[in-house]
Amino acid sequence: MLFSEIVEGIELEEQTHGSCEITSVEYDSRRVHEGSLFVAMRGSTTDGNTYIKQAMGKGAAGVLTDSREVFSNALSRWPHLCIGLAQHGRRSLAIASANFYQHPERTLKMTGVTGTNGKTTTAYLVEAMLNSAQRTSVLVGTIEYHVAGEVRVSPHTTPESRDLLELFHDAVGRGATEAVMEVSSHALHQGRVYGMPFDVAIFTNLTQDHLDFHRTMERYFAAKQKLFAGDGSPAPRVAVINVDDEYGRRLAKFSLTQGSVVAEYGVEKGDWRAEDVVLEAGSTRFTLKTPHGSVAMHSNLTGHVNVLNLLAASAAAHARGLSLEQIAEGSEQLAYVPGRFQTVPNEASITVAVDYAHTDDALLNLIKLSRQLVGNNQRVITLFGCGGDRDITKRPKMGRAAARGSNLVVLTSDNPRTEDPAIIMEQALRGVEEIGTDCIVEADREAAIRKAIAAAKPGDIVLLAGKGHEKTQVLATGTVPFDDVEVAARVLQERA
């Protein structure tokens, strides 16, 4: 494809001739090869413009830059190079990639899920419902990617636009007609989904998280809102919004001003509601009430939060053309979501559940669910930690959340990164001490899991919160393998 064809639609301040033949679009100089177009853009932590020399050394045929100085220097150094000066680096990457991959996003009907908690489970549920109705799909999310049934590693919840479009191109080639993806606030803020035409957008909730990046809750909300305004594309045709959530009610009003059809869901409010809810371990039943009729629902997922996730997925699936009967059938197809109240089999008559809960709101919901399952005669033991190099203000809040409803808290380490785990735990411990719940402090996560399980008696629930599906622990010395499920299984086997 010619350089001139790839840059079509990009806001260019200047450009040279466009006759270069381009073989790939890359933003990482390490992936550049003979004939590549290198998109050099300024990011939040690095500036791709500093790597143009390396890209040229690997045979780049063209360059897009968002730096006038770099444009001028490259032009004088490589006068025959196809080079463009773009107003927006990431937008240029998105448009160039869409052109190169022949716009797979226009073939796929896209459903995006955003919110603090529940994105992954809701996305999995939507995918299960679509697949049950014989739709071929691609799923992009935190745990893994699914491409027409093939499971792939997920390096990012929402990848850069170039990687996302390559994935979509592959999926379309395999017959996919639907895309379901988690859309993070970072991705929305940075323009990683610029130009993506979402047909349906889902908002689950908004609670404190990522304030190390967004600084305030209003900025955090503004990033989420971009999905419902459209970024380089029209607003979604249908907006599915949790109106039990304060921010959701604001977003519902906003979406109406954007011309979207708004499907409101919630337990207390909303047109999509659950009645006669019955929650058991490994089972949730309710009657789904909608403006289009009612249907009996059953899911293998457990808890109040999953009732909300099921409502969100149901409204989105209906917006994608599924009948209520197809939605009910699809909801039963999902056995579990990795790292979301994932129980570890054992013969000790205790429930050990691994969950990704890493905010105070998620912890509260997780513990509330566990208390509903065991009643007041058995104990809930909650193990948690707080991530390093992240928002420190949520640490005492998480401590308070873990202590409320738990009989015992085990405070440990959770991806401390460059921070001292002892300092992180001290900050979280303040919240636990405010409530007064018994607490064991153990920085070594494997030792902490051992202590949590050792403290449990038959009938108790042990919650291993924070890491969920993750397979590593990020330390100051580097990243090491660590899997809560694998460690818990080994400890339980030794106990048996």
Side-chain angles (χ1 to χ4, degrees):
M1 183 176 287
L2 295 179
F3 177 84
S4 58
E5 296 173 314
I6 288 181
V7 300
E8 186 176 344
I10 297 176
E11 297 177 15
L12 293 176
E13 295 182 11
E14 293 187 51
Q15 75 173 93
T16 62
H17 58 283
S19 58
C20 301
E21 188 69 33
I22 301 299
T23 58
S24 74
V25 175
E26 307 293 350
Y27 61 90
D28 186 338
S29 62
R30 293 167 295 186
R31 287 160 44 173
V32 168
H33 53 77
E34 197 71 31
S36 294
L37 169 65
F38 179 55
V39 182
M41 58 189 185
R42 286 168 288 206
S44 55
T45 57
T46 60
D47 186 351
N49 289 287
T50 62
Y51 297 97
I52 287 180
K53 184 178 178 181
Q54 289 91 322
M56 294 304 300
K58 290 192 170 186
V63 170
L64 275 178
T65 175
D66 56 6
S67 166
R68 177 167 290 279
E69 180 183 358
V70 169
F71 175 82
S72 300
N73 291 339
L75 199 58
S76 61
R77 185 168 184 178
W78 299 288
H80 302 296
L81 178 69
C82 287
I83 181 169
L85 174 60
Q87 293 183 15
H88 303 283
R90 269 200 165 92
R91 290 183 185 179
S92 299
L93 176 66
I95 296 170
S97 300
N99 289 337
F100 181 80
Y101 287 110
Q102 300 177 315
H103 291 281
E105 79 283 3
R106 295 177 182 173
T107 299
L108 296 165
K109 292 296 185 181
M110 296 178 57
T111 299
V113 189
T114 199
T116 305
N117 303 310
K119 294 190 298 295
T120 299
T121 300
T122 301
Y124 268 66
L125 283 166
V126 173
E127 181 198 37
M129 292 173 182
L130 291 171
N131 291 350
S132 180
Q134 309 307 312
R135 306 272 183 94
T136 303
S137 63
V138 51
L139 177 136
V140 182
T142 304
I143 299 175
E144 58 199 15
Y145 300 160
H146 300 167
V147 182
E150 178 188 320
V151 178
R152 300 183 184 179
V153 174
S154 167
H156 301 287
T157 297
T158 313
E160 289 285 0
S161 56
R162 177 253 180 244
D163 302 327
L164 183 60
L165 286 156
E166 181 183 37
L167 191 72
F168 285 171
H169 176 76
D170 188 12
V172 169
R174 293 166 179 252
T177 59
E178 304 275 350
V180 183
M181 62 181 295
E182 298 178 49
V183 188
S184 69
S185 59
H186 290 69
L188 287 161
H189 177 81
Q190 293 172 347
R192 288 187 234 157
V193 291
Y194 180 81
M196 299 292 174
F198 288 95
D199 184 59
V200 180
I202 303 171
F203 176 82
T204 59
N205 51 57
L206 198 76
T207 62
Q208 184 174 332
D209 200 13
H210 304 306
L211 294 193
D212 53 299
F213 181 83
H214 296 291
R215 302 301 178 191
T216 69
M217 287 297 291
E218 282 304 309
R219 286 184 176 181
Y220 185 25
F221 176 63
K224 297 291 189 186
Q225 186 172 267
K226 290 186 75 172
L227 179 64
F228 296 82
D231 190 12
S233 62
R237 179 179 60 86
V238 179
V240 177
I241 298 174
N242 175 9
V243 291
D244 280 352
D245 184 274
E246 175 189 354
Y247 289 99
R249 292 191 289 275
R250 288 174 55 183
L251 191 58
K253 293 178 181 178
F254 171 80
S255 293
L256 287 173
T257 69
Q258 303 303 297
S260 299
V261 175
V262 176
E264 299 181 349
Y265 74 92
V267 173
E268 299 177 2
K269 303 177 177 67
D271 297 322
W272 291 72
R273 301 187 311 278
E275 295 185 359
D276 304 321
V277 178
V278 178
L279 301 177
E280 299 173 345
S283 175
T284 296
R285 295 181 184 276
F286 61 87
T287 300
L288 175 62
K289 296 284 187 178
T290 84
H292 314 282
S294 303
V295 69
M297 296 282 285
H298 173 254
S299 172
N300 299 304
L301 307 182
T302 303
H304 172 79
V305 293
N306 282 317
V307 173
L308 286 169
N309 294 334
L310 283 157
L311 290 174
S314 297
H318 187 269
R320 288 297 315 124
L322 271 64
S323 68
L324 295 182
E325 290 70 26
Q326 288 174 316
I327 288 167
E329 181 180 349
S331 69
E332 292 193 274
Q333 302 304 309
L334 186 61
Y336 70 96
V337 179
R340 274 58 176 178
F341 206 82
Q342 181 179 348
T343 57
V344 183
N346 67 86
E347 298 178 2
S349 298
I350 61 175
T351 299
V352 178
V354 174
D355 195 275
Y356 191 52
H358 60 283
T359 67
D360 56 315
D361 182 67
L363 272 175
L364 284 169
N365 286 324
L366 178 64
I367 294 166
K368 181 180 178 181
L369 163 63
S370 301
R371 179 57 64 197
Q372 290 172 338
L373 294 177
V374 301
N376 294 320
N377 296 324
Q378 306 298 145
R379 298 187 307 158
V380 175
I381 299 169
T382 303
L383 176 147
F384 85 104
C386 299
D389 300 336
R390 296 294 186 267
D391 178 16
I392 66 173
T393 65
K394 76 175 189 179
R395 292 171 185 172
K397 294 180 180 180
M398 289 182 65
R400 287 191 290 271
R404 289 193 178 105
S406 298
N407 300 96
L408 173 65
V409 172
V410 180
L411 180 55
T412 187
S413 191
D414 181 348
N415 295 332
R417 300 180 179 87
T418 64
E419 287 194 68
D420 182 347
I423 294 175
I424 298 174
M425 291 190 297
E426 179 185 349
Q427 292 168 338
L429 184 60
R430 295 170 193 165
V432 179
E433 290 175 337
E434 287 181 24
I435 307 301
T437 303
D438 290 344
C439 183
I440 296 172
V441 179
E442 172 56 69
D444 183 284
R445 192 171 180 96
E446 179 165 345
I449 291 173
R450 289 183 179 278
K451 291 179 180 180
I453 291 175
K457 298 176 182 178
D460 291 347
I461 283 185
V462 178
L463 302 173
L464 307 181
K467 295 186 66 63
H469 62 280
E470 294 179 354
K471 306 297 182 185
T472 59
Q473 179 83 309
V474 186
L475 312 174
T477 54
T479 301
V480 298
F482 197 94
D483 183 343
D484 276 3
V485 175
E486 186 275 327
V487 172
R490 178 158 31 88
V491 172
L492 287 162
Q493 183 62 36
E494 292 170 2
R495 171 170 169 155

